[in-house]
Amino acid sequence: MSSERRVNVAPVSKKNRASAAMPQKKAKLGQNFLVDPAAAQRIVEALGDISNSIVLEIGPGRGAITKMLSYRAGRLIAIEFDRMLAAQLRIEYSRTPNVEIIEADVLAVDFDTIIQGDLAGISDRQNHPPAKARVVGNLPYYITSDILLKLFKFNRNFDTIVIMVQREVADRISAASGTSNYGLLSATAQLYSDVEKLFTLPPGAFDPPPKVHSSVLRLRVNPKAEKLGVNADQFVSFLKLGFAQKRKTLVNNLKQHFPLERIAEAMKVTGLKPDIRAEAVSLEKMAKLFNLLR
Ligand code: SAM
């Protein structure tokens, strides 16, 4: 039998609780269901061999990806916020021992508790430490950045993340520094992972069709803060300052927080032109600048 467990979750906002309870507001949960089985298969295949892995699915919805995962994954934990959909999935998988459906807001669950508990179980059974968990999801687009930031915060639990996001967001996450799409999201994602853009789907691959195209990304978790000699949280806060206003130069964004002379000196030592914008600066140089200004 599939197990049902309660997880510790932070209080859900009134707005979210209302949208979960009222069917007419479900558009707010970003419910564009995948109806292209070939695309679902490509997403699952992008996870690699999952036969001995825990897979965490975010927003299983009507289960387009869940079904394939249930056949292949060592263990599947799916987190769905919509009460009706979660209940339907629980019934569907009630006799599938490797599948667990959790009804919760993914932004409120504690991944450490969920993943580490399961890893410990598998590790005990097989007498050796299992691989880290993998994450997959056709994400609800209204909280894409929040979900990513949360996955990065809990990155020690994961080795691979395969997600479908709005195409423009995928372009930003995967952009190289020096290109116009590069920004805070790109820098943060690339601080924690190596990003690959896999493929793009048209609106017709979903029901109801969204107004935008969607792209699938694979993120190989590879935290770089230690190598860059920075504290990840402090560095991300610094990146937020540097990218605060896209049209402004890096100096202009930073000057409210550091003395101008110190910024000028640190830029010179780092080899950055005074009028450069944050989007043109590599993570390595940004880290050097941060360490000089700290
Ligand atoms: N995986 C399904 C598919 O590909 O057809 C559904 C994808 S749909 C774009 C996003 C799913 O995420 C919906 O089922 C929605 O109810 C769910 N969802 C929305 N907000 C959520 C949240 N905060 N936590 C967990 N699931 C959420």
Side-chain angles (χ1 to χ4, degrees):
M1 293 277 280
S2 104
S3 50
E4 179 187 333
R5 67 174 152 172
R6 293 189 185 281
V7 289
N8 290 332
V9 295
V12 173
S13 72
K14 274 188 187 158
K15 195 173 141 218
N16 281 347
R17 218 181 292 148
S19 53
M22 293 194 289
Q24 70 270 27
K25 291 211 173 154
K26 283 183 178 171
K28 287 197 176 161
L29 287 182
Q31 295 185 337
N32 300 98
F33 300 107
L34 187 61
V35 290
D36 176 346
Q41 181 157 358
R42 286 177 79 184
I43 290 171
V44 173
E45 276 165 6
L47 285 168
D49 179 2
I50 50 173
S51 55
N52 277 318
S53 302
I54 293 177
V55 177
L56 180 74
E57 187 186 5
I58 299 173
R62 292 183 191 153
I65 306 170
T66 320
K67 177 134 257 152
M68 274 177 219
L69 291 171
S70 73
Y71 297 140
R72 298 189 187 192
R75 177 146 180 75
L76 172 62
I77 303 169
I79 302 177
E80 173 56 60
F81 195 20
D82 183 307
R83 178 160 299 170
M84 296 269 281
L85 291 174
Q88 280 160 10
L89 287 165
R90 229 179 243 148
I91 292 168
E92 190 174 344
Y93 291 100
S94 62
R95 289 173 187 280
T96 313
N98 65 328
V99 178
E100 175 174 14
I101 308 295
I102 295 177
E103 181 198 324
D105 174 0
V106 70
L107 297 179
V109 299
D110 180 346
F111 289 143
D112 279 344
T113 311
I114 291 181
I115 304 296
Q116 293 303 327
D118 272 74
L119 283 178
I122 287 183
S123 164
D124 288 350
R125 279 201 299 276
Q126 297 178 347
N127 212 15
H128 58 80
K132 290 188 177 182
R134 296 183 185 179
V135 180
V136 65
N138 171 12
L139 297 188
Y141 293 174
Y142 72 110
I143 46 170
T144 298
S145 301
D146 293 338
I147 292 175
L148 272 176
L149 291 179
K150 176 149 190 179
L151 292 171
F152 295 147
K153 184 174 164 208
F154 287 90
N155 71 79
R156 60 186 166 276
N157 296 299
F158 310 120
D159 66 7
T160 307
I161 298 169
V162 175
I163 45 169
M164 174 123 61
V165 300
Q166 187 178 327
R167 178 172 59 182
E168 290 72 17
V169 177
D171 289 343
R172 280 165 45 210
I173 294 173
S174 57
S177 61
T179 64
S180 62
N181 275 325
Y182 188 78
L184 179 61
L185 196 54
S186 342
T188 309
Q190 293 166 33
L191 176 65
Y192 287 99
S193 65
D194 300 326
V195 182
E196 289 166 84
K197 193 171 162 191
L198 299 183
F199 59 93
T200 295
L201 292 173
F206 304 88
D207 174 38
K211 291 196 175 74
V212 293
H213 280 62
S214 306
S215 297
V216 175
L217 295 175
R218 177 166 51 205
L219 281 62
R220 306 272 191 200
V221 177
N222 177 17
K224 302 177 185 82
E226 202 177 326
K227 208 167 115 196
L228 294 172
V230 294
N231 168 289
D233 291 341
Q234 290 173 5
F235 185 50
V236 171
S237 301
F238 178 74
L239 291 173
K240 282 182 189 155
L241 302 181
F243 283 100
Q245 294 201 37
K246 208 168 162 51
R247 282 161 190 258
K248 284 192 176 179
T249 64
L250 181 55
V251 173
N252 278 338
N253 275 328
L254 292 178
K255 75 180 182 193
Q256 293 148 34
H257 309 278
F258 303 94
L260 201 48
E261 312 77 61
R262 276 189 64 206
I263 303 174
E265 178 58 21
M267 299 275 289
K268 205 167 145 195
V269 173
T270 313
L272 294 171
K273 289 191 183 144
D275 60 349
I276 200 164
R277 288 190 166 79
E279 70 195 37
V281 183
S282 67
L283 263 187
E284 290 72 16
K285 290 212 165 179
M286 209 58 150
K288 188 166 179 193
L289 188 67
F290 168 64
N291 279 329
L292 287 165
L293 285 173
R294 213 147 41 113

